[in-house]
Amino acid sequence: MGKCILLVRVSTERQSFDAQEQELFQLALSDGYAESDIIPICEKESGIKLKEEERKGLNAMKELIESDSTINCIYAWEISRIARKKKILFSILDYLTERKIQLIIKDPYLKLLLPSGEIDQNAEMVFTLFAQMAESEMRNKAARFKRAKDDMKKNFQYTGGWLPLGYKVENGYIVIDEDNAEMIRMLFQLYTEGVSSYRMSKELEKRGYDIKLNHIRHILANDNYCNGNYPPII
């Protein structure tokens, strides 16, 4: 009978792959595989942020196939659980068909190869259709994610990452850090008066500020202080 792989992937930590794994496990048993010959690969990976080529599950699947010639079938919950980009899905399709390794999808049920080892044309058409749907879904999710993040930025909600000097986070929102904001206002005022960066550093030093010359230039070149992405300091 050979061996099979259960390729299980969920996209967030809130989702559990236990139910998926159990149903695929039972499906493999009903197809005649012994319990000891069923190999689960369970990964939690982002469907949007992670490049398809970097998915640990796909890499592990190929490594197992290359190292064990008795593996003859891959089970997956649905096509999008394998990948969401058409080019990656089609590359996996080619990889498996070239080696005459069966692919069985649980939902919608799809069995890629005929008993002869040749690809089932009807199954290939369904695979192509759902590959397109998986990629479209990924694009829509990415677009919704970006819109939500843009809306949060409009309200100065903190979405993670580095903050420019002069800002801090309070209760999930970006607010002006007045301990440093006054110095930044002073820098821009001196800049409008035509004062050089070197003279600025000396003036700030006199006033008790400890800031390096290259940092002053970096601040003056940063348009975040007045471009609307943060509460305006200038």
Side-chain angles (χ1 to χ4, degrees):
M1 186 68 186
K3 298 178 184 177
C4 68
I5 292 174
L6 311 184
L7 189 60
V8 182
R9 177 181 63 80
V10 294
S11 57
T12 71
E13 289 297 326
R14 293 189 299 273
Q15 293 175 285
S16 172
F17 48 58
D18 292 341
Q20 290 184 18
E21 183 184 353
Q22 285 300 319
E23 290 203 33
L24 290 178
F25 189 81
Q26 291 301 320
L27 181 57
L29 287 176
S30 68
D31 285 343
Y33 287 97
E35 185 173 337
S36 59
D37 293 329
I38 300 174
I39 308 167
I41 299 176
C42 302
E43 297 289 345
K44 292 191 176 187
E45 301 174 329
S46 170
I48 295 176
K49 296 180 181 179
L50 188 64
K51 292 181 180 178
E52 300 286 348
E53 294 85 347
E54 297 173 354
R55 292 198 186 283
K56 295 178 182 177
L58 295 182
N59 291 337
M61 179 194 75
K62 289 183 178 180
E63 288 173 4
L64 283 170
I65 290 173
E66 299 295 337
S67 63
D68 190 342
S69 60
T70 65
I71 294 173
N72 56 19
C73 185
I74 306 296
Y75 289 87
W77 182 264
E78 59 185 21
I79 289 175
S80 65
R81 297 294 94 183
I82 301 172
R84 293 183 184 272
K85 286 186 179 179
K86 288 186 295 183
K87 70 173 185 177
I88 304 300
L89 284 165
F90 292 147
S91 74
I92 295 298
L93 185 72
D94 291 340
Y95 179 86
L96 296 177
T97 53
E98 284 172 5
R99 291 162 177 76
K100 296 191 182 301
I101 295 175
Q102 183 67 271
L103 173 65
I104 295 177
I105 305 296
K106 176 79 167 54
D107 184 25
Y109 186 81
L110 180 152
K111 194 170 186 178
L112 187 63
L113 301 182
L114 297 168
S116 64
E118 300 301 315
I119 192 166
D120 184 321
Q121 298 298 318
N122 291 330
E124 186 178 24
M125 288 174 60
V126 174
F127 186 95
T128 301
L129 172 62
F130 278 86
Q132 177 63 57
M133 292 172 63
E135 184 165 294
S136 296
E137 181 186 6
M138 180 192 68
R139 288 175 179 169
N140 290 336
K141 281 186 176 180
R144 288 197 298 270
F145 179 79
K146 184 179 183 303
R147 286 196 299 270
K149 195 168 184 178
D150 288 345
D151 289 341
M152 291 174 70
K153 282 184 176 180
K154 289 177 184 177
N155 297 319
F156 305 127
Q157 284 182 263
Y158 181 62
T159 58
W162 171 84
L163 287 178
L165 184 68
Y167 296 103
K168 61 183 179 180
V169 178
E170 283 186 358
N171 300 318
Y173 287 84
I174 300 172
V175 299
I176 294 174
D177 179 6
E178 289 298 340
D179 290 341
N180 292 306
E182 188 58 36
M183 179 191 69
I184 290 168
R185 294 188 187 101
M186 191 184 307
L187 281 175
F188 278 92
Q189 178 61 38
L190 292 171
Y191 177 77
T192 59
E193 294 172 3
V195 177
S196 69
S197 298
Y198 178 76
R199 285 181 57 200
M200 287 182 198
S201 66
K202 293 301 182 183
E203 180 63 27
L204 289 174
E205 189 178 330
K206 289 179 184 178
R207 303 190 189 192
Y209 292 105
D210 181 19
I211 184 168
K212 293 181 171 56
L213 183 60
N214 63 337
H215 199 178
I216 290 175
R217 290 169 178 163
H218 179 74
I219 290 172
L220 294 174
N222 192 338
D223 62 358
N224 283 310
Y225 296 111
C226 55
N227 70 357
N229 288 333
Y230 297 89
I233 290 178
I234 307 306

PDB file of all heavy atoms in Angstrom, residues 188-206:
ATOM      1  N   PHE A 188      13.169  72.179  13.971  1.00  0.00           N
ATOM      2  CA  PHE A 188      12.533  72.648  12.738  1.00  0.00           C
ATOM      3  C   PHE A 188      12.451  74.176  12.697  1.00  0.00           C
ATOM      4  O   PHE A 188      12.535  74.778  11.627  1.00  0.00           O
ATOM      5  CB  PHE A 188      11.144  72.025  12.589  1.00  0.00           C
ATOM      6  CG  PHE A 188      11.183  70.631  12.004  1.00  0.00           C
ATOM      7  CD1 PHE A 188      11.246  69.520  12.814  1.00  0.00           C
ATOM      8  CD2 PHE A 188      11.182  70.448  10.621  1.00  0.00           C
ATOM      9  CE1 PHE A 188      11.301  68.238  12.279  1.00  0.00           C
ATOM     10  CE2 PHE A 188      11.226  69.172  10.076  1.00  0.00           C
ATOM     11  CZ  PHE A 188      11.291  68.064  10.902  1.00  0.00           C
ATOM     12  N   GLN A 189      12.313  74.799  13.852  1.00  0.00           N
ATOM     13  CA  GLN A 189      12.306  76.259  13.893  1.00  0.00           C
ATOM     14  C   GLN A 189      13.673  76.810  13.486  1.00  0.00           C
ATOM     15  O   GLN A 189      13.773  77.747  12.676  1.00  0.00           O
ATOM     16  CB  GLN A 189      11.945  76.746  15.303  1.00  0.00           C
ATOM     17  CG  GLN A 189      11.959  78.248  15.471  1.00  0.00           C
ATOM     18  CD  GLN A 189      10.964  78.955  14.576  1.00  0.00           C
ATOM     19  OE1 GLN A 189       9.858  78.461  14.367  1.00  0.00           O
ATOM     20  NE2 GLN A 189      11.362  80.113  14.037  1.00  0.00           N
ATOM     21  N   LEU A 190      14.737  76.216  14.023  1.00  0.00           N
ATOM     22  CA  LEU A 190      16.087  76.636  13.652  1.00  0.00           C
ATOM     23  C   LEU A 190      16.353  76.383  12.168  1.00  0.00           C
ATOM     24  O   LEU A 190      17.024  77.168  11.501  1.00  0.00           O
ATOM     25  CB  LEU A 190      17.114  75.884  14.513  1.00  0.00           C
ATOM     26  CG  LEU A 190      17.130  76.245  16.006  1.00  0.00           C
ATOM     27  CD1 LEU A 190      18.015  75.282  16.778  1.00  0.00           C
ATOM     28  CD2 LEU A 190      17.603  77.690  16.196  1.00  0.00           C
ATOM     29  N   TYR A 191      15.794  75.271  11.663  1.00  0.00           N
ATOM     30  CA  TYR A 191      15.972  74.930  10.247  1.00  0.00           C
ATOM     31  C   TYR A 191      15.330  75.991   9.356  1.00  0.00           C
ATOM     32  O   TYR A 191      15.924  76.419   8.351  1.00  0.00           O
ATOM     33  CB  TYR A 191      15.345  73.561   9.969  1.00  0.00           C
ATOM     34  CG  TYR A 191      15.407  73.136   8.529  1.00  0.00           C
ATOM     35  CD1 TYR A 191      16.594  72.654   7.980  1.00  0.00           C
ATOM     36  CD2 TYR A 191      14.282  73.214   7.717  1.00  0.00           C
ATOM     37  CE1 TYR A 191      16.659  72.275   6.652  1.00  0.00           C
ATOM     38  CE2 TYR A 191      14.330  72.836   6.387  1.00  0.00           C
ATOM     39  CZ  TYR A 191      15.518  72.362   5.853  1.00  0.00           C
ATOM     40  OH  TYR A 191      15.580  71.993   4.544  1.00  0.00           O
ATOM     41  N   THR A 192      14.127  76.465   9.728  1.00  0.00           N
ATOM     42  CA  THR A 192      13.452  77.496   8.923  1.00  0.00           C
ATOM     43  C   THR A 192      14.203  78.826   8.984  1.00  0.00           C
ATOM     44  O   THR A 192      14.064  79.658   8.088  1.00  0.00           O
ATOM     45  CB  THR A 192      12.007  77.702   9.407  1.00  0.00           C
ATOM     46  OG1 THR A 192      12.004  78.094  10.776  1.00  0.00           O
ATOM     47  CG2 THR A 192      11.197  76.426   9.232  1.00  0.00           C
ATOM     48  N   GLU A 193      14.995  78.991  10.035  1.00  0.00           N
ATOM     49  CA  GLU A 193      15.783  80.222  10.166  1.00  0.00           C
ATOM     50  C   GLU A 193      17.117  80.121   9.434  1.00  0.00           C
ATOM     51  O   GLU A 193      17.920  81.061   9.454  1.00  0.00           O
ATOM     52  CB  GLU A 193      16.024  80.518  11.647  1.00  0.00           C
ATOM     53  CG  GLU A 193      14.736  80.860  12.414  1.00  0.00           C
ATOM     54  CD  GLU A 193      14.966  80.969  13.913  1.00  0.00           C
ATOM     55  OE1 GLU A 193      16.137  80.825  14.339  1.00  0.00           O
ATOM     56  OE2 GLU A 193      13.986  81.182  14.645  1.00  0.00           O
ATOM     57  N   GLY A 194      17.366  78.982   8.806  1.00  0.00           N
ATOM     58  CA  GLY A 194      18.583  78.808   8.022  1.00  0.00           C
ATOM     59  C   GLY A 194      19.792  78.395   8.824  1.00  0.00           C
ATOM     60  O   GLY A 194      20.925  78.484   8.344  1.00  0.00           O
ATOM     61  N   VAL A 195      19.570  77.916  10.050  1.00  0.00           N
ATOM     62  CA  VAL A 195      20.683  77.496  10.893  1.00  0.00           C
ATOM     63  C   VAL A 195      21.194  76.138  10.412  1.00  0.00           C
ATOM     64  O   VAL A 195      20.418  75.235  10.102  1.00  0.00           O
ATOM     65  CB  VAL A 195      20.236  77.401  12.363  1.00  0.00           C
ATOM     66  CG1 VAL A 195      21.375  76.897  13.255  1.00  0.00           C
ATOM     67  CG2 VAL A 195      19.736  78.760  12.846  1.00  0.00           C
ATOM     68  N   SER A 196      22.518  75.952  10.343  1.00  0.00           N
ATOM     69  CA  SER A 196      23.098  74.692   9.895  1.00  0.00           C
ATOM     70  C   SER A 196      22.909  73.600  10.941  1.00  0.00           C
ATOM     71  O   SER A 196      22.698  73.888  12.128  1.00  0.00           O
ATOM     72  CB  SER A 196      24.594  74.861   9.613  1.00  0.00           C
ATOM     73  OG  SER A 196      25.302  75.072  10.818  1.00  0.00           O
ATOM     74  N   SER A 197      23.007  72.362  10.498  1.00  0.00           N
ATOM     75  CA  SER A 197      22.846  71.229  11.409  1.00  0.00           C
ATOM     76  C   SER A 197      23.906  71.261  12.508  1.00  0.00           C
ATOM     77  O   SER A 197      23.631  70.925  13.666  1.00  0.00           O
ATOM     78  CB  SER A 197      22.941  69.905  10.638  1.00  0.00           C
ATOM     79  OG  SER A 197      21.915  69.814   9.683  1.00  0.00           O
ATOM     80  N   TYR A 198      25.126  71.666  12.133  1.00  0.00           N
ATOM     81  CA  TYR A 198      26.207  71.722  13.114  1.00  0.00           C
ATOM     82  C   TYR A 198      25.890  72.742  14.208  1.00  0.00           C
ATOM     83  O   TYR A 198      26.045  72.465  15.395  1.00  0.00           O
ATOM     84  CB  TYR A 198      27.523  72.076  12.428  1.00  0.00           C
ATOM     85  CG  TYR A 198      28.686  72.205  13.372  1.00  0.00           C
ATOM     86  CD1 TYR A 198      29.302  71.075  13.917  1.00  0.00           C
ATOM     87  CD2 TYR A 198      29.153  73.477  13.754  1.00  0.00           C
ATOM     88  CE1 TYR A 198      30.362  71.202  14.809  1.00  0.00           C
ATOM     89  CE2 TYR A 198      30.205  73.606  14.642  1.00  0.00           C
ATOM     90  CZ  TYR A 198      30.811  72.470  15.168  1.00  0.00           C
ATOM     91  OH  TYR A 198      31.845  72.594  16.053  1.00  0.00           O
ATOM     92  N   ARG A 199      25.420  73.934  13.799  1.00  0.00           N
ATOM     93  CA  ARG A 199      25.073  74.976  14.777  1.00  0.00           C
ATOM     94  C   ARG A 199      23.879  74.545  15.622  1.00  0.00           C
ATOM     95  O   ARG A 199      23.796  74.859  16.807  1.00  0.00           O
ATOM     96  CB  ARG A 199      24.775  76.286  14.075  1.00  0.00           C
ATOM     97  CG  ARG A 199      26.032  77.011  13.571  1.00  0.00           C
ATOM     98  CD  ARG A 199      25.664  78.310  12.902  1.00  0.00           C
ATOM     99  NE  ARG A 199      24.914  79.188  13.797  1.00  0.00           N
ATOM    100  CZ  ARG A 199      24.143  80.205  13.384  1.00  0.00           C
ATOM    101  NH1 ARG A 199      24.029  80.461  12.083  1.00  0.00           N
ATOM    102  NH2 ARG A 199      23.492  80.953  14.247  1.00  0.00           N
ATOM    103  N   MET A 200      22.952  73.778  15.004  1.00  0.00           N
ATOM    104  CA  MET A 200      21.802  73.259  15.761  1.00  0.00           C
ATOM    105  C   MET A 200      22.277  72.360  16.894  1.00  0.00           C
ATOM    106  O   MET A 200      21.785  72.441  18.025  1.00  0.00           O
ATOM    107  CB  MET A 200      20.873  72.448  14.848  1.00  0.00           C
ATOM    108  CG  MET A 200      20.046  73.259  13.881  1.00  0.00           C
ATOM    109  SD  MET A 200      18.974  72.149  12.940  1.00  0.00           S
ATOM    110  CE  MET A 200      18.553  73.199  11.556  1.00  0.00           C
ATOM    111  N   SER A 201      23.221  71.481  16.566  1.00  0.00           N
ATOM    112  CA  SER A 201      23.708  70.548  17.585  1.00  0.00           C
ATOM    113  C   SER A 201      24.355  71.302  18.745  1.00  0.00           C
ATOM    114  O   SER A 201      24.193  70.928  19.910  1.00  0.00           O
ATOM    115  CB  SER A 201      24.700  69.553  16.970  1.00  0.00           C
ATOM    116  OG  SER A 201      25.876  70.203  16.543  1.00  0.00           O
ATOM    117  N   LYS A 202      25.088  72.370  18.434  1.00  0.00           N
ATOM    118  CA  LYS A 202      25.725  73.164  19.484  1.00  0.00           C
ATOM    119  C   LYS A 202      24.689  73.898  20.324  1.00  0.00           C
ATOM    120  O   LYS A 202      24.814  74.000  21.550  1.00  0.00           O
ATOM    121  CB  LYS A 202      26.697  74.169  18.857  1.00  0.00           C
ATOM    122  CG  LYS A 202      27.908  73.524  18.191  1.00  0.00           C
ATOM    123  CD  LYS A 202      28.704  72.705  19.185  1.00  0.00           C
ATOM    124  CE  LYS A 202      29.943  72.084  18.570  1.00  0.00           C
ATOM    125  NZ  LYS A 202      30.669  71.224  19.536  1.00  0.00           N
ATOM    126  N   GLU A 203      23.642  74.421  19.643  1.00  0.00           N
ATOM    127  CA  GLU A 203      22.596  75.154  20.357  1.00  0.00           C
ATOM    128  C   GLU A 203      21.825  74.225  21.301  1.00  0.00           C
ATOM    129  O   GLU A 203      21.533  74.576  22.444  1.00  0.00           O
ATOM    130  CB  GLU A 203      21.633  75.782  19.347  1.00  0.00           C
ATOM    131  CG  GLU A 203      20.495  76.576  19.961  1.00  0.00           C
ATOM    132  CD  GLU A 203      20.959  77.784  20.741  1.00  0.00           C
ATOM    133  OE1 GLU A 203      22.050  78.328  20.427  1.00  0.00           O
ATOM    134  OE2 GLU A 203      20.246  78.181  21.685  1.00  0.00           O
ATOM    135  N   LEU A 204      21.523  73.023  20.798  1.00  0.00           N
ATOM    136  CA  LEU A 204      20.805  72.063  21.632  1.00  0.00           C
ATOM    137  C   LEU A 204      21.655  71.586  22.804  1.00  0.00           C
ATOM    138  O   LEU A 204      21.155  71.339  23.900  1.00  0.00           O
ATOM    139  CB  LEU A 204      20.357  70.862  20.784  1.00  0.00           C
ATOM    140  CG  LEU A 204      19.239  71.133  19.781  1.00  0.00           C
ATOM    141  CD1 LEU A 204      18.987  69.910  18.918  1.00  0.00           C
ATOM    142  CD2 LEU A 204      17.954  71.528  20.499  1.00  0.00           C
ATOM    143  N   GLU A 205      22.947  71.476  22.535  1.00  0.00           N
ATOM    144  CA  GLU A 205      23.863  71.075  23.607  1.00  0.00           C
ATOM    145  C   GLU A 205      23.861  72.100  24.725  1.00  0.00           C
ATOM    146  O   GLU A 205      23.875  71.745  25.913  1.00  0.00           O
ATOM    147  CB  GLU A 205      25.267  70.919  23.027  1.00  0.00           C
ATOM    148  CG  GLU A 205      26.267  70.308  23.984  1.00  0.00           C
ATOM    149  CD  GLU A 205      27.638  70.125  23.358  1.00  0.00           C
ATOM    150  OE1 GLU A 205      27.715  69.922  22.126  1.00  0.00           O
ATOM    151  OE2 GLU A 205      28.626  70.193  24.103  1.00  0.00           O
ATOM    152  N   LYS A 206      23.808  73.379  24.347  1.00  0.00           N
ATOM    153  CA  LYS A 206      23.769  74.442  25.343  1.00  0.00           C
ATOM    154  C   LYS A 206      22.501  74.354  26.193  1.00  0.00           C
ATOM    155  O   LYS A 206      22.498  74.701  27.369  1.00  0.00           O
ATOM    156  CB  LYS A 206      23.807  75.816  24.657  1.00  0.00           C
ATOM    157  CG  LYS A 206      25.141  76.169  24.043  1.00  0.00           C
ATOM    158  CD  LYS A 206      25.044  77.538  23.379  1.00  0.00           C
ATOM    159  CE  LYS A 206      26.334  77.894  22.663  1.00  0.00           C
ATOM    160  NZ  LYS A 206      26.234  79.208  21.966  1.00  0.00           N
TER     161      LYS A 206
END
